[in-house]
Amino acid sequence: MVTFFPEPILKLLGRLRFRTSYGQNVLRHSIEVAFIGEALAQEIKGADPEIMKKAGLLHDIGKAVSHEIEGGHAVIGKDILEKFSIDKRIIDAMKSHHEDFPYESNEARLLQAADAISASRPGARREAMDKYIKRLKEL
């Protein structure tokens, strides 16, 4: 079997199955961001869909241990990925998704967009119907 990530990274991804953020399962969200990011990158000249897919999957990896390590999950995730020598292009894309770091690539900006799309789609997060309708009207 071919794997793209070291075993400790895969184990951290598995831990995301048991984490939620605003009622949204973090692993499902990360998989969705990977698919959305890949699709966006396919439409942008010069963007790398494969880097986007991997960065999308790993963008919230810091949430697997954010209850154990002090700091924001993007910074924690960047440090984890650097420790395991993950491709710098993936790290550069994921570390900026909450603007903790400057954007260094098209993929960084696309990842932020993919993350926002996944988090804001109807049904992604728990919210009262009246809040959802209000948010739609504001859009």
Side-chain angles (χ1 to χ4, degrees):
M1 178 172 87
V2 176
T3 59
F4 296 102
F5 302 118
E7 187 175 338
I9 297 292
L10 296 175
K11 287 181 178 183
L12 288 173
L13 278 171
R15 290 175 76 173
L16 293 179
R17 180 177 182 208
F18 304 102
R19 302 281 296 178
T20 60
S21 179
Y22 300 98
Q24 189 175 27
N25 179 277
V26 178
L27 180 58
R28 287 187 185 147
H29 164 69
S30 295
I31 292 168
E32 186 172 74
V33 170
F35 285 128
I36 293 168
E38 179 184 30
L40 290 173
Q42 289 172 345
E43 300 298 322
I44 303 297
K45 184 177 180 176
D48 187 329
E50 193 66 25
I51 293 297
M52 276 301 302
K53 184 168 45 174
K54 292 174 183 177
L57 184 62
L58 296 174
H59 83 284
D60 276 345
I61 194 87
K63 288 185 178 182
V65 294
S66 62
H67 59 290
E68 300 168 1
I69 300 171
E70 194 170 324
H73 73 275
V75 176
I76 294 169
K78 177 189 84 66
D79 293 343
I80 290 168
L81 297 181
E82 286 174 345
K83 177 180 177 182
F84 290 99
S85 301
I86 299 301
D87 188 325
K88 183 179 181 326
R89 297 172 299 167
I90 294 169
I91 296 170
D92 288 345
M94 67 74 58
K95 70 183 183 183
S96 304
H97 76 278
H98 286 300
E99 300 180 344
D100 293 316
F101 298 90
Y103 300 106
E104 296 181 20
S105 64
N106 287 334
E107 290 82 6
R109 291 191 182 274
L110 291 173
L111 183 60
Q112 184 186 38
D115 185 36
I117 290 167
S118 173
S120 63
R121 70 167 171 73
R125 296 180 173 193
R126 284 189 217 132
E127 63 182 330
M129 182 59 79
D130 56 333
K131 285 184 180 179
Y132 173 67
I133 292 170
K134 180 182 176 191
R135 189 162 54 99
L136 282 179
K137 286 180 181 178
E138 290 173 357
L139 289 174

